[in-house]
């Protein structure tokens, strides 16, 4: 009886070569652009957590029994780093910017101090004139959102940033509308509408920066490509 032996094909059972991994494109912020992704995200968390807890713990029949200072403290603990991130993003965008752009950013920075100083005087004066100190519990949350919205409109105009302008417009409208639901639904309106607006803006800001980064990379590549010469 003859035995037939089969030779193995060296190509069989050979380790397959893995396809080269395609690295994700690097997203870089183009010069002069303000990257507000981190600031928007932290602002959203501050509004949802801080004002959300305030909405659940205030009113005639609160769902949570929390000390009055806790929601305000949590809100402030989120707003402070959010403002810091926003300021740092604005400072980074001024590197290599023109003199007019730097002056505009300085004026916008001063507008934050002016706006909140005016808000403090208006609320304090109104509470004293009416003798109703509880007005401050209503006007401070709504008024601060209104000031932030109006300044964001100015920033969006100066920076030609439609997303930031739209967010500011939304915040201003939300702040004015929230007064209709005061005092019970004021914090709930700000938590849902203002916090949700920041959350949506964070997602859209990521897309905006990615699109600008791709456009800037294409322009850089075209500039770096050698110009063909005729022989």
């Amino acid at each position: 009886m003859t035995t037939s032996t089969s030779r193995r094909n060296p190509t069989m059972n050979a380790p397959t070569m893995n396809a080269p991994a395609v690295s994700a494109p690097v997203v870089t912020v183009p010069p002069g652009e303000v990257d507000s992704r981190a600031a928007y995200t932290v602002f959203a968390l501050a509004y949802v957590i801080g004002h959300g807890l305030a909405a659940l713990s205030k009113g005639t029949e609160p769902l949570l029994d929390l000390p009055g200072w806790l929601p305000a403290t949590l809100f402030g603990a989120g707003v402070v780093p959010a403002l810091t991130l926003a300021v740092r993003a604005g400072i980074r965008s001024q590197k290599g910017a023109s003199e007019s752009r730097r002056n505009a950013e300085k004026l916008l920075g001063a507008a934050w101090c002016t706006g909140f100083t005016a808000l403090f005087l208006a609320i304090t004066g109104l509470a004293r004139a009416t003798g109703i100190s509880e007005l401050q519990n209503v006007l401070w949350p709504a008024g601060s959102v209104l000031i932030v919205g109006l300044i964001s409109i100015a920033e969006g105009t100066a920076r030609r940033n439609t997303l930031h302008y739209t967010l500011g417009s939304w915040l201003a409208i939300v702040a004015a509308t929230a007064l209709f639901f005061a005092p019970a639904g004021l914090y709930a309106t700000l938590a849902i509408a203002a916090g949700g607006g920041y959350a949506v803006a964070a997602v859209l800001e990521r897309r905006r920066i990615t699109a600008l980064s791709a456009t800037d990379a294409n322009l850089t590549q075209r500039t770096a490509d050698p110009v063909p010469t005729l022989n």
Side-chain angles (χ1 to χ4, degrees):
M1 184 175 64
T2 60
T3 303
S4 60
T5 60
S6 60
R7 297 182 178 177
R8 292 184 178 181
N9 189 340
T11 60
M12 297 179 61
N13 299 328
T16 57
M17 300 295 294
N18 293 328
V22 179
S23 59
V26 178
V27 178
T28 58
V29 183
E33 289 293 334
V34 179
D35 183 6
S36 301
R37 289 175 291 181
Y40 287 164
T41 302
V42 180
F43 268 123
L45 293 175
Y47 276 91
V48 172
I49 296 175
H51 285 335
L53 289 178
L56 295 175
S57 61
K58 294 181 181 297
T60 56
E61 297 180 357
L63 298 178
L64 296 177
D65 185 13
L66 298 176
W69 55 266
L70 182 58
T73 302
L74 293 176
F75 177 73
V79 168
V80 170
L83 288 174
T84 303
L85 291 171
V87 171
R88 290 179 60 185
I91 293 175
R92 289 196 195 99
S93 68
Q94 298 180 39
K95 294 181 178 179
S98 62
E99 185 66 23
S100 61
R101 171 63 187 274
R102 290 195 296 270
N103 290 334
E105 290 292 337
K106 291 178 182 178
L107 293 175
L108 290 171
W112 285 95
C113 299
T114 304
F116 277 95
T117 300
L119 179 65
F120 169 77
L121 295 174
I123 294 176
T124 304
L126 185 61
R128 172 176 288 187
T130 59
I132 306 175
S133 58
E134 290 78 9
L135 280 175
Q136 300 191 44
N137 298 330
V138 173
L139 295 180
W140 265 115
S144 60
V145 177
L146 177 62
I147 294 299
V148 171
L150 294 177
I151 296 178
S152 296
I153 291 175
E155 289 179 340
T157 303
R159 299 168 181 172
R160 299 180 182 179
N161 187 332
T162 304
L163 175 59
H164 200 67
Y165 180 94
T166 304
L167 175 62
S169 302
W170 172 254
L171 293 176
I173 293 174
V174 166
T177 305
L179 293 173
F180 287 92
F181 303 99
L186 172 70
Y187 290 98
T189 303
L190 295 179
I192 296 172
Y198 271 114
V200 172
V203 175
L204 296 180
E205 178 74 348
R206 180 172 284 103
R207 297 180 181 179
R208 185 183 76 90
I209 294 298
T210 302
L212 290 174
S213 175
T215 302
D216 185 67
N218 290 335
L219 292 176
T220 303
Q221 182 63 34
R222 291 177 183 177
T223 305
D225 287 341
V227 179
T229 57
L230 297 176
N231 293 330

